[in-house]
């Protein structure tokens, strides 16, 4: 069996295609100028065909692989179609049709952007906005900051800037009075609350001290009672010591120890002649003082 491509190239099929084309009406082309059309339905039809062409071109220009030359060509063609659409809308309005320039016809044009400060009628669609030389135009430059001089700043200064006429404002006085009353009431409430908290803290501290003092007194009484009982039991158990020889006092013991240390030092570091001379000197001093 023959394939479809071979069937379409057969003599019979080509003959039938030529006959069908002859029977069809010749393709009608859109008038070059909208003023040449005097029929409202024809004008509506040509406007619709322009809208279809614009939609197809806008879809095609979104492809970044077309190349710079093709993208520029498509963008120019879209702008020409938009201008032509405006002429047909104006002609439709002249023939008594609807006013399409009110907003419905601008739906397809909303995808395009105009260059800030440039031609507002020429728009860039799709990848045309990323072309070299066009991308830089859409970069928003920061506005230059102009500093005002001191003289320019002082021109707008009036008495209200310094608050000279604040006391004459009746509404401001009312707000200040209400705010002052609220602040005073809040301060009084805080003072009362703090005073109550302080009184509670003092009372609790006083109660703790009282409990502690009462506990100490009980402990002291118990200790005294235990001590008295212990002393009584010790006295009863152990006999008292009675000395029959007079014992030296604490001062006498200290003097005796000091004298003994002196004698030991003299024996260790002094000669016998020096020791004997010192002893004789002490005896003479005692004799003079009347001591034995």
């Amino acid at each position: 069996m023959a394939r479809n491509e071979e069937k379409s190239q057969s003599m019979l099929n080509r003959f039938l295609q030529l006959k069908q084309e002859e029977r069809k009406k010749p393709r009608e082309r859109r008038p070059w100028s909208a003023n040449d059309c005097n029929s409202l339905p024809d004008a509506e039809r040509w406007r619709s065909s322009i809208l279809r062409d614009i939609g197809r071109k806008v879809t095609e220009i979104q492809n970044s692989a077309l190349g710079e030359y093709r993208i520029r060509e498509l963008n120019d063609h879209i702008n020409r179609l938009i201008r032509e659409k405006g002429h047909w809308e104006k002609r439709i309005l002249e023939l008594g049709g609807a006013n399409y320039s009110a907003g419905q016809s601008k739906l397809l044009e909303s995808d395009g952007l105009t260059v800030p400060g440039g031609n507002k009628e020429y728009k860039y669609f799709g990848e045309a906005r990323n072309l070299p030389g066009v991308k830089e135009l859409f970069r928003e430059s920061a506005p230059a900051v102009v500093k005002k001089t001191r003289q320019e700043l002082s021109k707008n200064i009036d008495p209200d800037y310094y608050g000279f006429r604040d006391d004459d404002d009746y509404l401001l006085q009312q707000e200040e009075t209400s705010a002052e009353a609220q602040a005073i009431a809040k301060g009084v409430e805080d003072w009362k609350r703090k005073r109550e908290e302080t009184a509670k803290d003092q009372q609790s501290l006083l109660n703790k001290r009282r409990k502690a003092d009462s506990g100490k007194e009980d402990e002291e009484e118990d200790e005294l009672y235990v001590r008295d009982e212990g002393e009584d039991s010790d006295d009863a158990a152990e006999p008292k010591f009675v000395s029959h020889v007079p014992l030296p006092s604490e001062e006498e013991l200290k003097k005796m120890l000091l004298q003994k240390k002196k004698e030991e030092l003299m024996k260790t570091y002094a000669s016998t002649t020096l020791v004997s001379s010192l002893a004789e000197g002490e005896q003479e001093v005692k004799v003079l003082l009347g001591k034995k």
Side-chain angles (χ1 to χ4, degrees), residues 165-181:
R165 291 185 290 197
D166 290 345
D167 297 335
D168 299 336
D169 192 355
Y170 180 69
L171 297 176
L172 183 60
Q173 290 180 358
Q174 288 182 346
E175 292 179 359
E176 288 179 351
T177 304
S178 61
E180 184 179 1

Side-chain angles (χ1 to χ4, degrees), residues 110-129:
S110 61
D111 186 55
L113 295 178
T114 58
V115 177
N119 187 7
K120 294 183 179 181
E121 294 182 357
Y122 191 86
K123 296 184 177 182
Y124 292 90
F125 295 85
E127 291 297 323
R129 289 175 293 197

Side-chain angles (χ1 to χ4, degrees), residues 237-252:
E238 297 180 1
K240 292 184 178 180
F241 178 77
V242 179
S243 63
H244 300 280
V245 180
L247 297 174
S249 63
E250 188 176 357
E251 293 181 358
E252 292 177 353

Side-chain angles (χ1 to χ4, degrees), residues 146-193:
V146 180
K147 289 187 177 181
K148 293 184 179 181
T149 61
R150 189 180 296 274
Q151 184 178 3
E152 291 176 352
L153 293 173
S154 62
K155 287 181 180 179
N156 299 325
I157 295 177
D158 53 2
D160 293 333
Y161 177 80
Y162 297 101
F164 291 151
R165 291 185 290 197
D166 290 345
D167 297 335
D168 299 336
D169 192 355
Y170 180 69
L171 297 176
L172 183 60
Q173 290 180 358
Q174 288 182 346
E175 292 179 359
E176 288 179 351
T177 304
S178 61
E180 184 179 1
Q182 292 177 1
I184 291 172
K186 185 178 180 182
V188 171
E189 290 178 359
D190 294 341
W191 176 76
K192 289 181 179 179
R193 180 174 52 79

